[in-house]
Structure formats: structure tokens, C-alpha cells
Amino acid sequence: MTDFKDSYVMTIGGKSVGGGSQIEAFNPATKEVIASFPDARQDQLDDAVRSAREAFQTWSVAPLSERQQAVAAIGQAMTDNAEELMALLTREQGKPRAGAEWEIFGSADWCAQVSKMSLPDEVVEETDDRRVITRFSPLGVVGAITPWNFPVLLAIWKIAPALLTGNCMVLKPSPFTPLTTLKLGEICQSILPPGVFNVVSGGDDLGKWMTGHPDINKIAFTGHTETGKHVMRSAADNLKRLTLELGGNDPAIVLPDVDPKAVAPELFWGAFQNNAQFCNSIKRLYIHEDVYDEVRDALAEFAKGIRVGNGADEGTDIGPIQNLPQYEKVNDFFDDCASNGYTFALGGSVDRGAEGWFIPITLVDNPPENSRIVQEEPFGPILPLLKWSDEEDVIQRANDTRYGLGASVWGRDLEAVQRIGSRLDAGTVWLNEIHQYSPHQAFGGHKESGIGCENSVHGLMEYTNWHTITLNKSWGKG
Ligand code: NAD
């Protein structure tokens, strides 16, 4: 078990490293400062990159089984330290116990499953005269940059495949949720050779130094679409490889044959899981006009039984908004809806004097298609419900977005569900279910929701170069 002291350090070259200046971390349920963490200097980032580069010399050629065991050991250590990690995650992120369990045990399970994966050489040709193979060789030093909504899981989605394929890593968590990731770095000090996995903390500038760093070979980034564009521009200087997992505005389409009361809880959690601070939340809910009123009322009824509060309190279902800028951003959507006179089927008014950054669950009743709440990603618990009647029209409306991350379709007519689902332009389309992920399932965004993918063998390949090696066996034999 790791000692969970209330002090936070970076992990550079296998050692705990403090910073000169510190940044404060808040508990979003109380707005109180709970800790401070290092604000890395540029020379500390250079140290981390240098130690990763040195470690790469041996880690990249270590037997696969060694790297598999290391990834499995990270998962096991997360399980061993789960109670402390979950409590810390709730304190810094705000998510209630159930969400913290899902994230920490989910991350541990991810490591366990990824640790059994491999990318064998592809034999393209094997004859008496010639052998051609494509090997998947590691890239070198990967810079990972993560957001604040699922800080641990989204880090593991990068750490596990990158290390398994023989890369070394420098990881930068969001300045809003660095604490659990810094502890993960400390935990890994006793598991991995020095330099294989480094964790540095700091503000957005640290991210910019990473994307511009000449000795980082790839950036694995999850965050906003606009930030992703900055990352891509900056990474162009040395042609870094990129995986960009960006924003979404996921539609869900509800067919006229659903049972409103039965579908309501699934749609509710599809939209409000993690307090809707979820790239794959349902952000536009298109309900067929025949069942619109019933589904809307069933959703509002179900939502009344949901408790919003401090994630550390037993019985809390949904926590606060994670940080002040995001709280202000979500409030802006409330103001926009109110000033345009849209109707709220539930919620609609925020108590700005609350102890934490709390926002009530809110349903907006059929706002115009061109409204901000429909067109943009609020990343908070305010959901527009929209009416539809014509299948072609609803498909066109669902696809009419610059995003293409996820989508879902709900109905008993499986033929219709599949027909509509197959035409939705999104990286993941869920039919009569939602938010099912797997280490074996490719996950990524279409359009401005991202580039490349995470998870599955395709995700593993994103941490490798294609290395084609040909051998003319008969050469020199006369
Ligand atoms: P963000 O873009 O503000 O920050 C993400 C990370 O990038 C942070 O670590 C931040 O410090 C860093 N950063 C900021 N500016 C940078 C720059 N110029 N160069 C390099 N790094 C920089 O995003 P956020 O607010 O933390 O996360 C919310 C967003 O993430 C939402 O849009 C959400 O949809 C998206 N998201 C996407 C996925 C996915 O898998 N597609 C998953 C979760 C969240």
C-alpha cells in the first residue's frame, strides 16, 4: 500500500520531485482548497523527457511479457490502493462513490485486460525466397495530456497501451484534477523502471511546452476540440504522432414504440452520468412526437428522485460541477435559455449561493434546433429535449454538427433502430444501450471530435510505427 500523505509530488525519473511554486486544488463540493501541487518548470519537463528517452533504450527492447506484467501490476496496485484513490478522486473531482468505483476499478480492469494484448509481427510474405514482415515498433516518448472529467480512466487509456507497446511516457493531468494522477505516479515508482512513466503537473502552459517539445514523439490528448486544434498546430513542428479525443454533441433518437417509463432511467443516466461532464453524454435528445410528452414527463419524474450533493455524502447520486470556469460556462447556457424564453420541463434556476458548484438537473422543453443549447456542448446537467416526426429529418438533424463522437438509438423495432443507427456519423453508435466501452473496442471521434482512436488493437497501433522489413533469402546464392 502506498502512503497517502496529503502532499503531492511529481514523478520524474522514478523519483518524487517537488516544484518551486505550487498551485491550489479545490474540492468542488465545498469550494475549499484541499491541497497544493507542484507547478512544473520547463527544466523539470526537460528532465522528465530526458529520463523517458533514456529509459526507452531498455524498455523498448524488454520482452513483451515484462511489459505485460508491468501493466498488470499497475492495475493490481490500483486495486490495492482503491479506497484511498476513490476517496481522493471524489474530493478533487466531485464524483460520488459509485462513479469513483466505476473509474478506479474500471481502470484496474483495463490494465488487466490490456496486459494480455499484443501486436505480433504481420507476416506479409513467406516463401522459400522471400520474407516480408511488418513489425509494430514503439514510437519513443509519448506525452499524454488529460482532462478533468475522468482523470484516472482517461490516463489509463493512454498509459496501458503506450507502455505495453514499448514506449515511455510523460503524463500531464488537468490542473483541475491532478491529485489522483500524481498519486498514481508515486504508486508506479515501485513498479516500473525509472523514467518509463513520469507525471508532471502544472497549468495549460505545461501542455504547450509538451506539444512543442522536440524530443516528444507523440501526443495522446483528451480535451476540448479547440485545445486539440492548438495541440495539432504545435505538434506539427517535429511531426509528432497524434491521437486526439475531443468534444462531442451526441444525439440520442427515441422511436415511437418505446415504453416511456422503462426507457427514462436509461436516457437519464445516458445524459447525466458524471453530472453530464462526459464527452459521450446524450447532449441532444430527439424524441418522436407520439411519445414526446410521456418520455419528457417520465424523465422529469425519474430525475426528481435523484440526489445532487457532495459526492462524499452517502446517498448522493450526482456531484457538483468540477471547477469554477466550467460552472460559469454552464450558467451561461441557463442564462441563454432564460433570455430566449425557452421552457424548462425541470430545473432551470441555479442557486448561486450554494456551498459548492452545484447545478440542478435541467430539461429544456423543445428549444429551437439552432439554439445554443442544441448546437454547443454545455458539459453540464442541462439537456435539450427535441421533437421529431420524420425519419430522414431526424437523421439529418442528428448529423448536422461539427462533432461526431457518439450517438444512440432507442426502440423496439430493431430493424428501424439499426437502419437509423447505421446512418449516424459518429465513432460509436449504441443501439438500445449506451456507454458500453471495452479495451477491445475502438473508440474515437469522427469530424471535429478527434483523430485516431483509443483501445482495441487499432488503439495499440497508434503507439507504434509501421516497420516493414524485407529479406531476399536467395540473394548471393548465385
Ligand atoms: P481542455 O482542453 O481545457 O484541457 C484538457 C487538457 O489540455 C488539460 O490537461 C489542459 O491543461 C491541457 N491544455 C490546455 N490548453 C492546452 C494547450 N494549448 N496545449 C496543450 N495542452 C493544453 O479540456 P477539459 O475542459 O479538461 O475537458 C473537457 C473536454 O474534453 C470536453 O470538450 C470533452 O468533450 C472532452 N473530452 C473528450 C473525451 C473523448 O474521449 N473524446 C473524453 C473526455 C473529455
Side-chain angles (χ1 to χ4, degrees):
M1 296 274 282
T2 298
D3 178 13
F4 267 70
K5 290 191 301 280
D6 240 1
S7 63
Y8 297 90
V9 288
M10 302 186 284
T11 292
I12 297 177
K15 295 197 174 68
S16 298
V17 176
S21 53
Q22 299 274 310
I23 304 175
E24 290 177 332
F26 292 83
N27 180 340
T30 60
K31 304 180 190 168
E32 285 166 357
V33 174
I34 49 169
S36 66
F37 60 92
D39 188 6
R41 300 185 309 266
Q42 209 154 357
D43 61 287
Q44 292 177 313
L45 172 64
D46 289 342
D47 285 347
V49 174
R50 201 176 306 114
S51 73
R53 175 67 53 200
E54 276 165 25
F56 181 70
Q57 301 306 319
T58 41
W59 185 251
S60 57
V61 293
L64 173 66
S65 59
E66 200 177 299
R67 301 198 300 259
Q68 287 176 322
Q69 279 164 20
V71 170
I74 297 172
Q76 185 56 50
M78 294 188 78
T79 304
D80 295 344
N81 291 280
E83 278 305 327
E84 291 81 0
L85 290 170
M86 287 188 296
L88 184 56
L89 183 58
T90 293
R91 257 176 14 116
E92 71 166 337
Q93 207 285 335
K95 62 184 68 190
R97 170 80 185 193
E101 272 180 19
W102 186 83
E103 182 157 357
I104 298 299
F105 286 112
S107 299
D109 179 56
W110 222 266
C111 289
Q113 294 202 52
V114 173
S115 77
K116 296 180 192 135
M117 294 170 79
S118 62
L119 279 180
D121 291 351
E122 211 173 80
V123 180
V124 182
E125 187 179 328
E126 180 79 89
T127 63
D128 289 346
D129 298 330
R130 226 167 153 250
R131 180 175 163 79
V132 179
I133 60 158
T134 297
R135 178 161 297 160
F136 299 94
S137 305
L139 298 169
V141 178
V142 174
I145 302 177
T146 50
W148 47 259
N149 58 342
F150 293 100
V152 181
L153 185 71
L154 296 175
I156 288 294
W157 280 20
K158 297 166 180 51
I159 298 165
L163 267 49
L164 186 97
T165 45
N167 299 279
C168 296
M169 177 171 276
V170 178
L171 168 68
K172 185 201 91 66
S174 164
F176 294 114
T177 52
L179 305 181
T180 321
T181 312
L182 288 168
K183 284 294 171 200
L184 180 62
E186 278 190 71
I187 289 171
C188 288
Q189 287 177 18
S190 59
I191 298 173
L192 297 164
V196 168
F197 176 54
N198 305 271
V199 183
V200 291
S201 54
D204 294 348
D205 279 348
L206 178 58
K208 290 184 194 163
W209 298 338
M210 288 171 69
T211 59
H213 201 291
D215 213 21
I216 291 182
N217 304 92
K218 174 191 169 101
I219 295 288
F221 172 84
T222 303
H224 276 291
T225 291
E226 297 318 317
T227 319
K229 291 179 185 178
H230 287 298
V231 170
M232 195 164 179
R233 281 186 205 107
S234 168
D237 273 350
N238 70 338
L239 288 184
K240 286 184 182 63
R241 289 359 181 208
L242 284 176
T243 301
L244 301 177
E245 296 288 2
L246 309 176
N249 194 2
D250 293 9
I253 299 176
V254 178
L255 305 191
D257 62 358
V258 295
D259 172 347
K261 282 207 168 67
V263 80
E266 303 207 49
L267 295 176
F268 178 87
W269 287 117
F272 295 104
Q273 191 65 259
N274 211 42
N275 203 8
Q277 302 168 117
F278 195 165
C279 55
N280 271 139
S281 287
I282 295 174
K283 294 185 180 126
R284 298 174 287 151
L285 182 52
Y286 293 96
I287 307 168
H288 192 274
E289 62 179 2
D290 289 356
V291 285
Y292 181 89
D293 290 358
E294 289 86 343
V295 172
R296 177 197 60 203
D297 295 348
L299 268 172
E301 198 51 41
F302 182 80
K304 284 179 195 153
I306 296 296
R307 199 162 128 195
V308 179
N310 188 329
D313 295 342
E314 211 169 306
T316 296
D317 299 303
I318 288 181
I321 292 293
Q322 197 281 323
N323 59 70
L324 181 59
Q326 185 60 28
Y327 176 78
E328 294 299 352
K329 192 180 144 193
V330 179
N331 266 295
D332 198 39
F333 281 94
F334 278 76
D335 294 345
D336 183 72
C337 289
S339 65
N340 281 292
Y342 306 150
T343 310
F344 295 108
L346 184 76
S349 120
V350 180
D351 171 10
R352 307 232 5 155
E355 194 192 357
W357 293 308
F358 292 106
I359 301 248
I361 295 160
T362 293
L363 302 173
V364 190
D365 196 358
N366 205 24
E369 193 70 24
N370 65 0
S371 56
R372 278 190 58 208
I373 191 62
V374 177
Q375 294 297 318
E376 298 177 23
E377 181 189 37
F379 224 58
I382 173 166
L383 174 70
L385 313 182
L386 301 142
K387 253 184 219 179
W388 69 275
S389 54
D390 176 75
E391 188 174 309
E392 277 307 311
D393 178 60
V394 76
I395 292 170
Q396 189 269 327
R397 287 160 73 194
N399 285 335
D400 186 16
T401 163
R402 68 184 176 127
Y403 296 110
L405 192 58
S408 59
V409 187
W410 303 82
R412 286 189 213 171
D413 178 349
L414 294 188
E415 203 181 303
V417 165
Q418 292 176 81
R419 184 176 65 238
I420 295 171
S422 66
R423 293 184 57 199
L424 297 179
D425 190 1
T428 306
V429 178
W430 286 286
L431 305 179
N432 289 336
E433 61 177 19
I434 193 162
H435 300 162
Q436 299 298 317
Y437 302 94
S438 153
H440 308 288
Q441 188 175 308
F443 174 79
H446 292 187
K447 300 190 272 185
E448 292 190 27
S449 286
I451 288 186
C453 77
E454 294 192 302
N455 308 326
S456 80
V457 286
H458 307 290
L460 282 187
M461 283 180 193
E462 298 231 350
Y463 288 95
T464 65
N465 275 318
W466 289 270
H467 200 180
T468 294
I469 301 162
T470 79
L471 171 66
N472 180 350
K473 298 179 190 172
S474 54
W475 186 79
K477 286 187 183 160

